[in-house]
Amino acid sequence: MTTPPSTDPDTDPDTPTHTHTDPDTHPDRDPGPDTTAPYTLGLRLAAACGLLFLLACLVFTGMITLRDAIEGDGSRGVFIAAGFWSLALGAVAGVAALAVPRRALVTAQYCLGAAGPLLALID
């Protein structure tokens, strides 16, 4: 009398031990280059253009400050100082984005650059 073949995958010796049926997710396969990583040259170009944007925002913030000094009360307010600090921090983020290209640094550079004149306008 013979016993029927086992259908349990834990005890069947003919069942493969790995469960990866998709060749793209096989652990022994080399994944190759990461195609979802941001393009570093594009980020560096965006950071370089962001430095030019910061320069334009610096000129615009200076014009707002001079107009406020002539037409306003003549004293520099807290928001004008915050605008210039925002531009300085944007420049630091821009230089850091040139050295280590990250999308968050480039975004922070542009946001801080736009905040400079806006803060100066509030004063």
Side-chain angles (χ1 to χ4, degrees):
M1 186 159 153
T2 62
T3 59
S6 173
T7 58
D8 186 17
D10 293 333
T11 60
D12 189 15
D14 296 331
T15 305
T17 57
H18 69 286
T19 58
H20 299 286
T21 56
D22 186 14
D24 291 335
T25 61
H26 194 275
D28 296 333
R29 182 171 179 247
D30 182 27
D34 187 12
T35 57
T36 60
Y39 192 55
T40 58
L41 180 63
L43 286 175
R44 284 191 170 127
L45 286 174
C49 291
L51 290 175
L52 294 174
F53 174 71
L54 283 169
L55 182 63
C57 288
L58 177 67
V59 169
F60 192 56
T61 305
M63 289 173 28
I64 293 169
T65 303
L66 289 175
R67 184 192 53 85
D68 184 52
I70 293 171
E71 295 176 0
D73 57 359
S75 65
R76 189 173 95 175
V78 175
F79 286 110
I80 289 179
F84 282 113
W85 274 105
S86 173
L87 291 172
L89 290 175
V92 169
V95 171
L98 282 174
V100 183
R102 298 283 186 259
R103 185 175 296 159
L105 286 173
V106 174
T107 304
Q109 175 188 14
Y110 280 96
C111 290
L112 288 168
L118 291 177
L119 286 169
L121 280 173
I122 291 174
D123 193 14

